[in-house]
Amino acid sequence: MCGIVGAVAQRNVQGILLEGLKRLEYRGYDSAGLAVLGRDGRLSRRRALGKVAALEARLAEFPLAGHSGIAHTRWATHGRPSEENAHPHQSGDRLAVVHNGIIENHEILRGELEAAGYGFASETDTEVIAHLIEREAREGDLLQAVRRVLARLDGAYALGVIHADEPDVVIGARKGSPLVVGVGIEEAFLASDPLALLQVTDRFIYLEEGDVVRLSPGGRVEVLDAAGTAVERPVQTFEHGDGAASKGDYRHFMLKEIHEQPAVIAAALEGRLGERSVLVESFGPDAEALFARVKQIHLVACGTSYHAGMVARYWLERYAGVPVQVEVASEYRYRRVVVPEDTLFVTLSQSGETADTLAALRFAKELGYLGSLAICNVPGSSLVRESDLTLMTQAGPEIGVASTKAFTTQLVALTLLTLALGRVRGQDADEQATLVEALRRLPGQVARVLALDPAIEALSAAFAEKYHALFLGRGAHFPVALEGALKLKEISYIHAEAYPAGELKHGPLALVDGEMPVIAVAPNDELLEKLKSNLQEVRARGGELFVFADEQVALADGEGVRVLRLPHVEDALAPILYTVPLQLLAYHVAVLKGTDVDQPRNLAKSVTVE
Ligand code: G6P
């Protein structure tokens, strides 16, 4: 998704902006650009189609110099990926704008501007913003000009604006798309994500919806809220450190993040477990009273987070006795939802900025829920700020577009929610104590699964030449199979589908032959025998089977059957453990195929548009 960087500094900002763009590459994009203002008020811009490296090469040949500037990575929405459509967009040679989001009324505005004599150089919705601000700024005061224009925009945006008449100023604004201010020493910065600025500061102001900000020399930061009133927003220190944004010794961020799972799962549990039960207080002081009233849960999310929600439904119904409905946010928000009395609304999101999930939360607030809980990985994100209760997943920054550690820590957070609800609703104390004990063992078991990496890598060769793959699971492992299929298609571009194994004979069996590898998730649970029969159905049709099974299960390698054994784990936690080999399998297949593992084509880390 588009990324914004801006700076007003004591030095040439080109390097800061370029480094910021590199750090935002993980969000997914197709072109990049940068504009700076010289002290003499001269506006200069460079843009390039493709990777930030292409922009960097252009800047090496034609460098820019200026103490204020804005930069952008674009993920095409209006208009194809091209240099003309890349940001910053200019109006004349004095004003430049970068924009993340979608302006819904851009056609009407474009018509109005064309009638007034403005020419358009791109197909983007953003260019209307540039011309509108240029027109308003003729009356002086860039910040007020921006505010007048914002009042005319329908849709979502984060903006960065520079103007030759105010050469040491950058204006930022946000509504519906994230934007933070980096507070430096006598310098100030703007970015879509704190990670973009960790090389220059670890202190951030998280702008609120409707805020407009002026950065000016000496590190001056002035924030106006949606009503135009000057406000002080708190400065928060970013706690994850900059190390999280580097690959270390790993070839890809995704591999590093897969291997971080034992540590981050331990972090997600820290301070949340008592001796024999979960600490309900870790959800906040109001949690206990609220949880005692919960009769139903509606769980809403997108992508990988949605799969976490699907797993949680099995847990919440089995251990807490609470009926759960799970839905993708983009469907939920447009449905006439009936909310039974005392229903808790839960959102799941690694980024906390997914447009559909955020819109679902805002929609839900009008529907009479008991309250809202966000399970999220990014402190200070919009979802966290707008929810009644929050549970942070503590995975640290995740850079690979394909979510791995964010997913498994979401599952951990969801087991904690299950136990917290179970506890206030009278779950058997011994059952709770067994699960708490199993949670404590989980990081070690995940580490044992990671040690199987070479064996999983060896399996990957069987997939690299295939066009399709089928994933099977039963019960809570059906969503795990869905997640395995999603990982494979996201990064290796192999078409993969997942089915509850019992559905095989109702359709997908027709596809099974020697060219269709079938991956089965086979923990030692009550559905194992049924799963084994489903696997026979595959073998009988010549399908090649790859089975991830419990070490205690009597399943043997044979012709067309490869079995990989995982440590035995408490039933309830098996979905977390069995996710890990599927992540590794997708990773190794993608590496063999030579795809861009951390930034797969057409995808974005955080989808901040609808
Ligand atoms: C994008 C990402 C996925 C993610 C989904 C939901 O599609 O590429 O990895 O699962 O958004 O994101 P969220 O931040 O809400 O979990």
Side-chain angles (χ1 to χ4, degrees), residues 1-5 20-32 51-52 71-78 87 99-102 125 156-158 176-179 191-193 196 350-356 399-402 598-610:
M1 206 67 356
C2 304
I4 288 177
V5 192
L21 292 185
K22 286 183 189 164
R23 287 163 175 257
L24 289 177
E25 285 193 286
Y26 77 93
R27 292 163 71 93
Y29 69 102
D30 44 58
S31 53
K51 295 284 171 187
V52 173
H72 191 263
T73 46
R74 173 174 187 256
W75 189 74
T77 56
H78 293 68
H87 299 215
H99 165 224
N100 177 6
I102 289 177
D125 52 341
Y157 51 77
S177 289
L179 195 66
S192 320
D193 182 327
Q350 44 92 17
S351 64
E353 300 293 352
T354 301
D356 283 319
I399 307 294
V401 163
D598 285 331
Q599 292 164 42
R601 68 185 182 200
N602 306 341
L603 298 180
K605 182 71 184 161
S606 166
V607 182
T608 50
V609 294
E610 182 170 353

Side-chain angles (χ1 to χ4, degrees), residues 35 67 71 73 81 85 90 245 287 304 330 359 380-381 415 417 435 458 509 520 578:
H67 290 249
T73 46
N85 288 334
Q90 288 186 205
T304 289
S330 54
S381 59
T415 55
L417 174 64
L435 290 170
L509 200 54
Y578 280 75

Side-chain angles (χ1 to χ4, degrees), residues 57-269:
R58 189 153 307 174
L59 285 165
E61 207 176 333
F62 305 105
L64 297 179
H67 290 249
S68 62
I70 50 179
H72 191 263
T73 46
R74 173 174 187 256
W75 189 74
T77 56
H78 293 68
R80 73 209 134 78
S82 68
E83 188 170 324
E84 295 71 44
N85 288 334
H87 299 215
H89 287 290
Q90 288 186 205
S91 183
D93 58 3
R94 302 183 59 74
L95 176 127
V97 169
V98 288
H99 165 224
N100 177 6
I102 289 177
I103 304 304
E104 285 165 1
N105 57 341
H106 73 104
E107 277 173 1
I108 295 170
L109 295 170
R110 192 177 180 118
E112 175 192 314
L113 287 160
E114 277 169 348
Y118 282 93
F120 280 78
S122 78
E123 304 159 295
T124 65
D125 52 341
T126 303
E127 200 179 344
V128 301
I129 308 176
H131 295 315
L132 287 171
I133 299 176
E134 193 278 338
R135 191 164 65 177
E136 289 295 326
R138 290 180 193 177
E139 306 195 3
D141 195 287
L142 183 58
L143 182 129
Q144 290 307 333
V146 170
R147 289 198 67 239
R148 285 195 295 277
V149 170
L150 297 182
R152 302 205 53 203
L153 303 179
D154 294 339
Y157 51 77
L159 291 180
V161 183
I162 52 175
H163 195 299
D165 287 352
E166 298 187 29
D168 284 326
V169 167
V170 171
I171 304 291
R174 77 156 277 179
K175 188 181 146 217
S177 289
L179 195 66
V180 299
V181 173
V183 180
I185 299 167
E186 307 267 298
E187 299 181 324
F189 312 96
L190 206 59
S192 320
D193 182 327
L195 287 183
L197 299 175
L198 286 179
Q199 82 279 19
V200 281
T201 185
D202 63 351
R203 297 168 66 228
F204 295 96
I205 296 170
Y206 293 87
L207 294 175
E208 304 271 335
E209 284 293 273
D211 280 356
V212 181
V213 63
R214 174 175 19 219
L215 314 183
S216 48
R220 188 135 184 255
V221 176
E222 297 153 87
V223 182
L224 300 189
D225 67 10
T229 312
V231 283
E232 286 287 323
R233 300 271 180 239
V235 177
Q236 300 181 26
T237 304
F238 187 84
E239 284 164 6
H240 294 298
D242 198 9
S246 96
K247 281 191 276 223
D249 294 335
Y250 290 94
R251 181 163 169 198
H252 295 100
F253 279 110
M254 184 180 177
L255 188 62
K256 175 181 176 237
E257 289 155 2
I258 290 172
H259 281 272
E260 281 171 358
Q261 289 177 114
V264 295
I265 288 173
L269 293 171

